[in-house]
Amino acid sequence: MISKLKEDYKKARKGKKPVVRPKRSALQAMLENLGRDEGIPPPPRGKPIQQEVDIPESAAQGAFPAGRRPMVGIGEDEAIETALGLGDLAKLTVSNEADALSSYDVNAAATKDTFRKTWNPKYTLRNHFDAVRTLAFHPVEPVLITGSEDHSLKLWNLDKTVPAKKTASLDVEPIYTFRGHSAAVLCLSISADGSKCFSGSMDSTICFWGMPDINMDPYDSYDCSILKEPLIGHTNAVWDIAFDATKNHLVSASADGTVRLWNPQQKSPLLNKYIGEKSYGVPTTVDFVRCDPCQIIVGYKSSDAVIYDLETAKPVITLDSKLLSDTDGTTQINCAISHPTLPITITAHEDRHIRFFDNNTGKMEHSMVAHLDAVTSLAIDPNGLYLLSGSHDCSIRLWNLESKTCVQEITSHRKKFDEAIYSVAFHPSKPYIASGGADALAKVFV
């Protein structure tokens, strides 16, 4: 069949003459003759046509809005920005993920721009079976520990990546799972040297863990010696814990209404107990006052915030945090943290506010609506220049502490039962931030 079609085609083409196309030189000659007939001088061969156009000043003023100039020089950046109407948006910069590590130096001198960078998502950690309630970075290694409502903690080495199953990106698998709690893990803290880890749970216990080898094989047999003697004393859920490197002390806040001070190395670890007034309700958050480690700051469900002396267990000052909300009358403190170098306490509230207090006077220095929903967690970078906040509105926001302005917003988690982000953290010495959410994911940004 095909051979017959070929024969028919050859017979049909046999009597026709081939079409002869004119040569380029002939076409150029035709164009020159056409130009002479109309009185236009022919352009020189081998060079592009260049023609200058003079725009009268009056015409230019009528053709372009006031304050703008005509884009005669198309290569000029200002003209392009003007034509596009970018305005202040033209000043925004986006950092490449590959450049993030090289452009970030946590040990640099503390300047305004030390931590000013654009954070981009790098890893999504997907091994927990329920909400990730808490997370913390190792002080020097690229290691993250997460705690979940699935009763476990997991250790992730961010240098150990594996190819993702469905995408071209890289995934991180946990190299160790801490098992010791019988209920949801609500909080955790890592010692300053990275050798110890502590976790508080809904089961009212605080587990004391040794730090596993960060280069261990994930399929090694379980080492039961990593779990040390638990700290037992609370009778209800442990909402928050904090570790102080100067004295190696641990402080915890519980739903049983008490705040307790521990020395985990001692045979009898409980050192002191702090009980607030009944009107304060349950303590929800606790932290050491970093510029004075002999004091702690405790936030309560009633929105009261009190600084206690560790030795006497007496209140030093009560912050002016007892305020009525504009919405439903509740301003519960979800998180309170101390600035690393200044006598300032920063609190995150249920009424969407972040508030700043002077530890010396107790007065509120600043208050701002920071999110569209309850603010659940806070973290300050090691240099004390930037604040990270997480909220149930699914976003984490980076704030300049000097100007109290938001410099970046990242939507990082999905809602589950009207809750989204539970915890955020800065790495103490490397260019990482992380968030943990109700969607059972932990995300790491660089």
Side-chain angles (χ1 to χ4, degrees), residues 167-195:
T167 64
S169 62
L170 296 175
D171 272 351
V172 181
E173 295 292 338
I175 63 172
Y176 189 83
T177 299
F178 302 82
R179 303 184 189 278
H181 288 291
S182 58
V185 179
L186 303 176
C187 52
L188 72 89
S189 184
I190 300 176
S191 64
D193 61 359
S195 64

PDB file of all heavy atoms in Angstrom, residues 167-195:
ATOM      1  N   THR A 167       8.906  13.142  45.621  1.00  0.00           N
ATOM      2  CA  THR A 167       9.427  14.387  45.057  1.00  0.00           C
ATOM      3  C   THR A 167      10.935  14.291  44.889  1.00  0.00           C
ATOM      4  O   THR A 167      11.563  13.323  45.303  1.00  0.00           O
ATOM      5  CB  THR A 167       9.106  15.580  45.980  1.00  0.00           C
ATOM      6  OG1 THR A 167       9.790  15.398  47.229  1.00  0.00           O
ATOM      7  CG2 THR A 167       7.612  15.694  46.242  1.00  0.00           C
ATOM      8  N   ALA A 168      11.495  15.335  44.284  1.00  0.00           N
ATOM      9  CA  ALA A 168      12.940  15.358  44.064  1.00  0.00           C
ATOM     10  C   ALA A 168      13.693  15.908  45.267  1.00  0.00           C
ATOM     11  O   ALA A 168      14.917  15.962  45.252  1.00  0.00           O
ATOM     12  CB  ALA A 168      13.257  16.203  42.832  1.00  0.00           C
ATOM     13  N   SER A 169      12.974  16.350  46.310  1.00  0.00           N
ATOM     14  CA  SER A 169      13.624  16.919  47.478  1.00  0.00           C
ATOM     15  C   SER A 169      14.181  15.827  48.382  1.00  0.00           C
ATOM     16  O   SER A 169      14.046  14.632  48.100  1.00  0.00           O
ATOM     17  CB  SER A 169      12.631  17.784  48.258  1.00  0.00           C
ATOM     18  OG  SER A 169      11.568  16.978  48.717  1.00  0.00           O
ATOM     19  N   LEU A 170      14.790  16.274  49.484  1.00  0.00           N
ATOM     20  CA  LEU A 170      15.386  15.342  50.431  1.00  0.00           C
ATOM     21  C   LEU A 170      14.553  15.273  51.706  1.00  0.00           C
ATOM     22  O   LEU A 170      14.017  16.277  52.163  1.00  0.00           O
ATOM     23  CB  LEU A 170      16.818  15.758  50.773  1.00  0.00           C
ATOM     24  CG  LEU A 170      17.807  15.738  49.609  1.00  0.00           C
ATOM     25  CD1 LEU A 170      19.151  16.292  50.066  1.00  0.00           C
ATOM     26  CD2 LEU A 170      17.976  14.329  49.064  1.00  0.00           C
ATOM     27  N   ASP A 171      14.436  14.094  52.268  1.00  0.00           N
ATOM     28  CA  ASP A 171      13.736  13.892  53.526  1.00  0.00           C
ATOM     29  C   ASP A 171      14.743  13.575  54.615  1.00  0.00           C
ATOM     30  O   ASP A 171      15.870  13.159  54.345  1.00  0.00           O
ATOM     31  CB  ASP A 171      12.740  12.728  53.412  1.00  0.00           C
ATOM     32  CG  ASP A 171      11.387  13.197  52.902  1.00  0.00           C
ATOM     33  OD1 ASP A 171      11.192  14.426  52.812  1.00  0.00           O
ATOM     34  OD2 ASP A 171      10.538  12.347  52.591  1.00  0.00           O
ATOM     35  N   VAL A 172      14.305  13.763  55.855  1.00  0.00           N
ATOM     36  CA  VAL A 172      15.120  13.391  57.009  1.00  0.00           C
ATOM     37  C   VAL A 172      14.344  12.354  57.812  1.00  0.00           C
ATOM     38  O   VAL A 172      13.163  12.554  58.101  1.00  0.00           O
ATOM     39  CB  VAL A 172      15.434  14.624  57.889  1.00  0.00           C
ATOM     40  CG1 VAL A 172      16.308  14.220  59.069  1.00  0.00           C
ATOM     41  CG2 VAL A 172      16.117  15.700  57.078  1.00  0.00           C
ATOM     42  N   GLU A 173      14.999  11.276  58.146  1.00  0.00           N
ATOM     43  CA  GLU A 173      14.383  10.232  58.967  1.00  0.00           C
ATOM     44  C   GLU A 173      14.936  10.331  60.385  1.00  0.00           C
ATOM     45  O   GLU A 173      16.105  10.651  60.577  1.00  0.00           O
ATOM     46  CB  GLU A 173      14.677   8.846  58.380  1.00  0.00           C
ATOM     47  CG  GLU A 173      14.059   8.576  57.021  1.00  0.00           C
ATOM     48  CD  GLU A 173      12.544   8.469  57.061  1.00  0.00           C
ATOM     49  OE1 GLU A 173      12.008   8.197  58.162  1.00  0.00           O
ATOM     50  OE2 GLU A 173      11.911   8.684  56.027  1.00  0.00           O
ATOM     51  N   PRO A 174      14.117  10.062  61.410  1.00  0.00           N
ATOM     52  CA  PRO A 174      14.633  10.109  62.783  1.00  0.00           C
ATOM     53  C   PRO A 174      15.653   9.003  63.012  1.00  0.00           C
ATOM     54  O   PRO A 174      15.496   7.886  62.510  1.00  0.00           O
ATOM     55  CB  PRO A 174      13.380   9.902  63.637  1.00  0.00           C
ATOM     56  CG  PRO A 174      12.425   9.178  62.748  1.00  0.00           C
ATOM     57  CD  PRO A 174      12.702   9.668  61.359  1.00  0.00           C
ATOM     58  N   ILE A 175      16.692   9.327  63.769  1.00  0.00           N
ATOM     59  CA  ILE A 175      17.709   8.300  64.038  1.00  0.00           C
ATOM     60  C   ILE A 175      17.526   7.678  65.418  1.00  0.00           C
ATOM     61  O   ILE A 175      18.162   6.663  65.720  1.00  0.00           O
ATOM     62  CB  ILE A 175      19.134   8.890  63.903  1.00  0.00           C
ATOM     63  CG1 ILE A 175      19.378   9.990  64.942  1.00  0.00           C
ATOM     64  CG2 ILE A 175      19.376   9.401  62.507  1.00  0.00           C
ATOM     65  CD1 ILE A 175      20.816  10.456  64.978  1.00  0.00           C
ATOM     66  N   TYR A 176      16.646   8.274  66.244  1.00  0.00           N
ATOM     67  CA  TYR A 176      16.386   7.673  67.556  1.00  0.00           C
ATOM     68  C   TYR A 176      14.999   8.087  68.035  1.00  0.00           C
ATOM     69  O   TYR A 176      14.567   9.232  67.805  1.00  0.00           O
ATOM     70  CB  TYR A 176      17.437   8.105  68.584  1.00  0.00           C
ATOM     71  CG  TYR A 176      17.335   7.351  69.890  1.00  0.00           C
ATOM     72  CD1 TYR A 176      17.924   6.097  70.045  1.00  0.00           C
ATOM     73  CD2 TYR A 176      16.627   7.877  70.968  1.00  0.00           C
ATOM     74  CE1 TYR A 176      17.814   5.390  71.232  1.00  0.00           C
ATOM     75  CE2 TYR A 176      16.513   7.172  72.162  1.00  0.00           C
ATOM     76  CZ  TYR A 176      17.107   5.937  72.292  1.00  0.00           C
ATOM     77  OH  TYR A 176      16.982   5.226  73.463  1.00  0.00           O
ATOM     78  N   THR A 177      14.300   7.178  68.688  1.00  0.00           N
ATOM     79  CA  THR A 177      12.991   7.460  69.281  1.00  0.00           C
ATOM     80  C   THR A 177      13.064   7.238  70.787  1.00  0.00           C
ATOM     81  O   THR A 177      13.439   6.151  71.239  1.00  0.00           O
ATOM     82  CB  THR A 177      11.897   6.567  68.665  1.00  0.00           C
ATOM     83  OG1 THR A 177      11.818   6.822  67.261  1.00  0.00           O
ATOM     84  CG2 THR A 177      10.548   6.864  69.304  1.00  0.00           C
ATOM     85  N   PHE A 178      12.738   8.283  71.548  1.00  0.00           N
ATOM     86  CA  PHE A 178      12.735   8.204  73.015  1.00  0.00           C
ATOM     87  C   PHE A 178      11.367   7.696  73.472  1.00  0.00           C
ATOM     88  O   PHE A 178      10.347   8.330  73.204  1.00  0.00           O
ATOM     89  CB  PHE A 178      12.976   9.584  73.632  1.00  0.00           C
ATOM     90  CG  PHE A 178      14.262  10.249  73.225  1.00  0.00           C
ATOM     91  CD1 PHE A 178      14.362  10.940  72.026  1.00  0.00           C
ATOM     92  CD2 PHE A 178      15.379  10.206  74.048  1.00  0.00           C
ATOM     93  CE1 PHE A 178      15.533  11.573  71.654  1.00  0.00           C
ATOM     94  CE2 PHE A 178      16.565  10.831  73.687  1.00  0.00           C
ATOM     95  CZ  PHE A 178      16.641  11.511  72.482  1.00  0.00           C
ATOM     96  N   ARG A 179      11.351   6.566  74.174  1.00  0.00           N
ATOM     97  CA  ARG A 179      10.089   6.009  74.666  1.00  0.00           C
ATOM     98  C   ARG A 179      10.169   5.872  76.185  1.00  0.00           C
ATOM     99  O   ARG A 179      11.027   5.168  76.694  1.00  0.00           O
ATOM    100  CB  ARG A 179       9.817   4.645  74.034  1.00  0.00           C
ATOM    101  CG  ARG A 179       9.783   4.685  72.509  1.00  0.00           C
ATOM    102  CD  ARG A 179       9.411   3.344  71.911  1.00  0.00           C
ATOM    103  NE  ARG A 179       9.592   3.326  70.479  1.00  0.00           N
ATOM    104  CZ  ARG A 179       8.732   3.802  69.589  1.00  0.00           C
ATOM    105  NH1 ARG A 179       7.597   4.356  70.024  1.00  0.00           N
ATOM    106  NH2 ARG A 179       8.976   3.751  68.296  1.00  0.00           N
ATOM    107  N   GLY A 180       9.262   6.552  76.897  1.00  0.00           N
ATOM    108  CA  GLY A 180       9.266   6.495  78.351  1.00  0.00           C
ATOM    109  C   GLY A 180       8.026   7.105  78.960  1.00  0.00           C
ATOM    110  O   GLY A 180       7.704   6.849  80.113  1.00  0.00           O
ATOM    111  N   HIS A 181       7.309   7.911  78.171  1.00  0.00           N
ATOM    112  CA  HIS A 181       6.090   8.541  78.672  1.00  0.00           C
ATOM    113  C   HIS A 181       4.868   7.694  78.332  1.00  0.00           C
ATOM    114  O   HIS A 181       4.847   6.971  77.329  1.00  0.00           O
ATOM    115  CB  HIS A 181       5.925   9.936  78.066  1.00  0.00           C
ATOM    116  CG  HIS A 181       6.894  10.945  78.604  1.00  0.00           C
ATOM    117  ND1 HIS A 181       6.853  11.416  79.893  1.00  0.00           N
ATOM    118  CD2 HIS A 181       7.947  11.585  78.002  1.00  0.00           C
ATOM    119  CE1 HIS A 181       7.822  12.291  80.081  1.00  0.00           C
ATOM    120  NE2 HIS A 181       8.507  12.417  78.946  1.00  0.00           N
ATOM    121  N   SER A 182       3.847   7.819  79.166  1.00  0.00           N
ATOM    122  CA  SER A 182       2.598   7.083  78.945  1.00  0.00           C
ATOM    123  C   SER A 182       1.482   8.007  78.477  1.00  0.00           C
ATOM    124  O   SER A 182       0.324   7.590  78.413  1.00  0.00           O
ATOM    125  CB  SER A 182       2.177   6.376  80.235  1.00  0.00           C
ATOM    126  OG  SER A 182       2.010   7.311  81.278  1.00  0.00           O
ATOM    127  N   ALA A 183       1.813   9.256  78.189  1.00  0.00           N
ATOM    128  CA  ALA A 183       0.831  10.221  77.684  1.00  0.00           C
ATOM    129  C   ALA A 183       1.547  11.231  76.796  1.00  0.00           C
ATOM    130  O   ALA A 183       2.753  11.125  76.563  1.00  0.00           O
ATOM    131  CB  ALA A 183       0.119  10.909  78.850  1.00  0.00           C
ATOM    132  N   ALA A 184       0.808  12.208  76.318  1.00  0.00           N
ATOM    133  CA  ALA A 184       1.348  13.198  75.376  1.00  0.00           C
ATOM    134  C   ALA A 184       2.539  13.942  75.968  1.00  0.00           C
ATOM    135  O   ALA A 184       2.537  14.320  77.140  1.00  0.00           O
ATOM    136  CB  ALA A 184       0.255  14.189  74.990  1.00  0.00           C
ATOM    137  N   VAL A 185       3.571  14.142  75.139  1.00  0.00           N
ATOM    138  CA  VAL A 185       4.737  14.941  75.527  1.00  0.00           C
ATOM    139  C   VAL A 185       4.416  16.402  75.222  1.00  0.00           C
ATOM    140  O   VAL A 185       4.096  16.756  74.088  1.00  0.00           O
ATOM    141  CB  VAL A 185       6.001  14.494  74.766  1.00  0.00           C
ATOM    142  CG1 VAL A 185       7.191  15.349  75.174  1.00  0.00           C
ATOM    143  CG2 VAL A 185       6.278  13.024  75.023  1.00  0.00           C
ATOM    144  N   LEU A 186       4.494  17.272  76.251  1.00  0.00           N
ATOM    145  CA  LEU A 186       4.058  18.658  76.118  1.00  0.00           C
ATOM    146  C   LEU A 186       5.195  19.659  76.030  1.00  0.00           C
ATOM    147  O   LEU A 186       5.013  20.761  75.509  1.00  0.00           O
ATOM    148  CB  LEU A 186       3.165  19.028  77.302  1.00  0.00           C
ATOM    149  CG  LEU A 186       1.919  18.158  77.506  1.00  0.00           C
ATOM    150  CD1 LEU A 186       1.182  18.590  78.765  1.00  0.00           C
ATOM    151  CD2 LEU A 186       1.002  18.238  76.295  1.00  0.00           C
ATOM    152  N   CYS A 187       6.365  19.326  76.567  1.00  0.00           N
ATOM    153  CA  CYS A 187       7.463  20.295  76.592  1.00  0.00           C
ATOM    154  C   CYS A 187       8.792  19.560  76.677  1.00  0.00           C
ATOM    155  O   CYS A 187       8.838  18.408  77.127  1.00  0.00           O
ATOM    156  CB  CYS A 187       7.320  21.250  77.778  1.00  0.00           C
ATOM    157  SG  CYS A 187       7.099  20.411  79.368  1.00  0.00           S
ATOM    158  N   LEU A 188       9.861  20.208  76.244  1.00  0.00           N
ATOM    159  CA  LEU A 188      11.198  19.614  76.366  1.00  0.00           C
ATOM    160  C   LEU A 188      12.241  20.711  76.415  1.00  0.00           C
ATOM    161  O   LEU A 188      12.007  21.842  75.979  1.00  0.00           O
ATOM    162  CB  LEU A 188      11.483  18.613  75.240  1.00  0.00           C
ATOM    163  CG  LEU A 188      11.726  19.105  73.806  1.00  0.00           C
ATOM    164  CD1 LEU A 188      13.195  19.388  73.559  1.00  0.00           C
ATOM    165  CD2 LEU A 188      11.250  18.071  72.803  1.00  0.00           C
ATOM    166  N   SER A 189      13.401  20.356  76.962  1.00  0.00           N
ATOM    167  CA  SER A 189      14.514  21.293  77.059  1.00  0.00           C
ATOM    168  C   SER A 189      15.816  20.510  76.975  1.00  0.00           C
ATOM    169  O   SER A 189      15.892  19.374  77.459  1.00  0.00           O
ATOM    170  CB  SER A 189      14.441  22.072  78.379  1.00  0.00           C
ATOM    171  OG  SER A 189      15.462  23.043  78.448  1.00  0.00           O
ATOM    172  N   ILE A 190      16.834  21.107  76.348  1.00  0.00           N
ATOM    173  CA  ILE A 190      18.138  20.460  76.187  1.00  0.00           C
ATOM    174  C   ILE A 190      19.169  21.267  76.965  1.00  0.00           C
ATOM    175  O   ILE A 190      19.146  22.503  76.957  1.00  0.00           O
ATOM    176  CB  ILE A 190      18.521  20.376  74.694  1.00  0.00           C
ATOM    177  CG1 ILE A 190      17.476  19.563  73.917  1.00  0.00           C
ATOM    178  CG2 ILE A 190      19.896  19.741  74.520  1.00  0.00           C
ATOM    179  CD1 ILE A 190      17.721  19.508  72.423  1.00  0.00           C
ATOM    180  N   SER A 191      20.083  20.563  77.635  1.00  0.00           N
ATOM    181  CA  SER A 191      21.128  21.242  78.412  1.00  0.00           C
ATOM    182  C   SER A 191      22.058  22.013  77.492  1.00  0.00           C
ATOM    183  O   SER A 191      22.146  21.743  76.284  1.00  0.00           O
ATOM    184  CB  SER A 191      21.921  20.223  79.231  1.00  0.00           C
ATOM    185  OG  SER A 191      22.608  19.320  78.372  1.00  0.00           O
ATOM    186  N   ALA A 192      22.802  22.975  78.061  1.00  0.00           N
ATOM    187  CA  ALA A 192      23.645  23.866  77.269  1.00  0.00           C
ATOM    188  C   ALA A 192      24.778  23.137  76.565  1.00  0.00           C
ATOM    189  O   ALA A 192      25.242  23.568  75.507  1.00  0.00           O
ATOM    190  CB  ALA A 192      24.206  24.976  78.152  1.00  0.00           C
ATOM    191  N   ASP A 193      25.251  22.010  77.146  1.00  0.00           N
ATOM    192  CA  ASP A 193      26.323  21.248  76.491  1.00  0.00           C
ATOM    193  C   ASP A 193      25.788  20.159  75.568  1.00  0.00           C
ATOM    194  O   ASP A 193      26.559  19.451  74.922  1.00  0.00           O
ATOM    195  CB  ASP A 193      27.264  20.646  77.534  1.00  0.00           C
ATOM    196  CG  ASP A 193      26.540  19.683  78.480  1.00  0.00           C
ATOM    197  OD1 ASP A 193      25.311  19.502  78.330  1.00  0.00           O
ATOM    198  OD2 ASP A 193      27.210  19.123  79.366  1.00  0.00           O
ATOM    199  N   GLY A 194      24.471  20.014  75.499  1.00  0.00           N
ATOM    200  CA  GLY A 194      23.866  19.039  74.602  1.00  0.00           C
ATOM    201  C   GLY A 194      23.956  17.604  75.064  1.00  0.00           C
ATOM    202  O   GLY A 194      23.614  16.697  74.308  1.00  0.00           O
ATOM    203  N   SER A 195      24.375  17.366  76.303  1.00  0.00           N
ATOM    204  CA  SER A 195      24.544  15.984  76.775  1.00  0.00           C
ATOM    205  C   SER A 195      23.292  15.431  77.436  1.00  0.00           C
ATOM    206  O   SER A 195      23.177  14.215  77.641  1.00  0.00           O
ATOM    207  CB  SER A 195      25.709  15.911  77.771  1.00  0.00           C
ATOM    208  OG  SER A 195      25.417  16.683  78.932  1.00  0.00           O
TER     209      SER A 195
END
